[in-house]
Amino acid sequence: MALPLVKSAVACTDFTRTVQPYIPQLNTLPQQIYQSATDLQALRELYLSTNPLISAFAFSLALVPIVLVISEINRNYSQIDRIWSLLPTFYNLHYVAYAHAKGLPTQRLDSLAIISLVWSARLTYNYWRKGGYQIGSEDYRWKIVKDYVNSPILFFVFNIAFISLAQSLLLFSVTMPTYVLLLAGPVTKAQIPDIIFTQVLIGWVFLAYVADQQQWDFHLAKGSYQKSAKVPPSSRYTAADLDRGFNTKGLWSLSRHPNFLAEQSVWLTLYIWSCWATGTNYHWAGLGAAAYLFLFQSSTWLTELITAGKYSDYKMYQNRVGKFVPSLWGEGMPSANAAGKKEK
């Protein structure tokens, strides 16, 4: 049996009943896939007879050697970055497809699938327009980390353990609450709060889109200004704003990373949704969201360390504006002109 027999919403979050019994499937899955590789019907039967969480986990593990080898051959460590915006939606669609194939209620999952596709479209588009899919493109932070480690062997170990393995598992783990929602489908009916959760998720995706667009507009104006020494006529920014080097307008006047706030909130909201659907305050599937929050804390720390070294006003920005959540007692950034006068 690929799915546990659960008779209550709370039982859907019991790790010993919904996950642990299916872990041994990992041992035989590779051989079964190999034996069924040329038989589509056999593959379909294998897919349906394997617990969907286990098959998703197995896929995330299978990706590790692929991205590891590609990254080492090309000496480019942004291989996971290129599929970051695709993998969570792939896993969510997998759960939706599995539920449909099994004839399970899918109202929640169908709504989530649509939102997840929109989330992927936004993030993929933003990554593409910044040149992320260009040959040779790499996150500038990997070079800094590599120089800091200053050891090919240690960085190779880091590539195995974190860049390739941990990040792949992370993108699987943030969708674990979708598995819980799948299990909850037959025992709890969709209600008005489910609609509210979908609207909140849409709101976070929209907030991330607006933040990304504002950042894009700023850097377009900044690039044009640096080339021509003239502020673009259609720009909302002044010469002083562009001379400062980083965006402090719009959402960026309230949060230093409004896009990161929205990105983290998407997966945190999904987890909270699964808690509500199962009538629990917390459960094991929240580990993915917690790991996601931890990753953003550490990566943002590195990003800001680099940014503060490039722009003299950035430390003032850090003191006055909240990192993610807007500060109720923060002073906000003064206008660039006012800051310049004060320094003089």
Side-chain angles (χ1 to χ4, degrees):
M1 185 177 296
L3 290 175
L5 291 175
V6 290
K7 297 182 179 180
S8 68
V10 174
C12 297
T13 64
D14 185 346
F15 184 86
T16 61
R17 294 177 60 185
T18 62
V19 180
Q20 191 172 328
Y22 303 99
I23 295 176
Q25 289 183 337
L26 284 170
N27 298 326
T28 58
L29 190 57
Q31 183 180 359
Q32 289 175 313
I33 293 175
Y34 176 76
Q35 293 173 344
S36 306
T38 58
D39 188 338
L40 291 179
Q41 182 59 31
L43 284 173
R44 184 179 186 279
E45 292 175 0
L46 176 60
Y47 178 74
L48 294 177
S49 63
T50 304
N51 179 274
L53 184 75
I54 297 302
S55 55
F57 179 63
F59 183 83
S60 70
L61 289 177
L63 282 177
V64 174
I66 297 173
V67 297
L68 176 65
V69 170
I70 293 175
S71 66
E72 288 297 330
I73 290 176
N74 293 286
R75 289 292 186 264
N76 185 308
Y77 303 96
S78 280
Q79 305 309 317
I80 287 288
D81 296 339
R82 288 180 169 82
I83 53 177
W84 189 282
S85 63
L86 304 176
L87 286 179
T89 294
F90 172 81
Y91 294 125
N92 280 336
L93 292 179
H94 153 66
Y95 292 123
V96 175
Y98 189 92
H100 276 280
K102 284 287 191 178
L104 302 176
T106 60
Q107 187 173 348
R108 291 189 183 105
L109 297 180
D110 290 340
S111 299
L112 178 59
I114 294 172
I115 296 169
S116 194
L117 285 168
V118 174
W119 173 86
S120 276
R122 181 217 44 105
L123 194 56
T124 302
Y125 170 68
N126 196 56
Y127 188 72
W128 166 80
R129 68 177 174 178
K130 293 193 296 184
Y133 293 112
Q134 293 180 358
I135 296 176
S137 173
E138 183 182 43
D139 189 323
Y140 66 95
R141 291 171 295 187
W142 291 134
K143 184 180 185 306
I144 293 173
V145 172
K146 187 177 181 180
D147 290 343
Y148 177 79
V149 172
N150 196 28
S151 168
I153 295 177
L154 288 180
F155 192 78
F156 177 66
V157 172
F158 178 73
N159 188 10
I160 296 174
F162 177 75
I163 300 177
S164 300
L165 176 61
Q167 289 193 120
S168 182
L169 294 181
L170 175 66
L171 296 175
F172 151 76
S173 67
V174 292
T175 66
M176 293 190 302
T178 309
Y179 173 67
V180 175
L181 290 177
L182 181 154
L183 296 178
V187 294
T188 62
K189 295 182 179 180
Q191 302 175 40
I192 291 178
D194 291 296
I195 298 175
I196 295 174
F197 276 111
T198 60
Q199 291 176 336
V200 171
L201 284 170
I202 292 171
W204 288 127
V205 174
F206 180 72
L207 180 67
Y209 167 77
V210 173
D212 284 341
Q213 188 61 47
Q214 290 179 351
Q215 188 76 324
W216 179 255
D217 291 342
F218 174 81
H219 284 287
L220 280 182
K222 178 182 170 183
S224 175
Y225 175 67
Q226 290 175 336
K227 290 180 180 178
S228 65
K230 295 180 181 179
V231 177
S234 60
S235 174
R236 62 180 294 191
Y237 303 101
T238 66
D241 291 328
L242 300 175
D243 282 330
R244 175 181 274 162
F246 57 93
N247 192 10
T248 62
K249 299 292 187 182
L251 292 175
W252 301 81
S253 67
L254 304 173
S255 166
R256 303 202 300 273
H257 305 280
N259 51 345
F260 291 176
L261 167 65
E263 177 66 19
Q264 294 171 89
S265 297
V266 165
W267 303 110
L268 184 59
T269 299
L270 175 59
Y271 167 62
I272 295 172
W273 187 5
S274 71
C275 288
W276 177 86
T278 55
T280 56
N281 294 323
Y282 58 88
H283 55 76
W284 61 270
L287 290 175
Y292 207 74
L293 297 181
F294 177 78
L295 174 66
F296 268 78
Q297 288 291 335
S298 56
S299 64
T300 304
W301 171 83
L302 177 58
T303 299
E304 292 206 322
L305 184 67
I306 297 168
T307 306
K310 290 173 62 178
Y311 305 113
S312 59
D313 284 350
Y314 199 78
K315 290 185 179 179
M316 181 197 305
Y317 186 48
Q318 288 176 305
N319 292 331
R320 290 172 171 261
V321 178
K323 180 190 290 185
F324 301 123
V325 180
S327 176
L328 296 177
W329 51 85
E331 300 177 73
M333 282 294 285
S335 68
N337 289 326
K341 291 177 181 178
K342 186 175 181 181
E343 288 178 2
K344 291 178 182 179

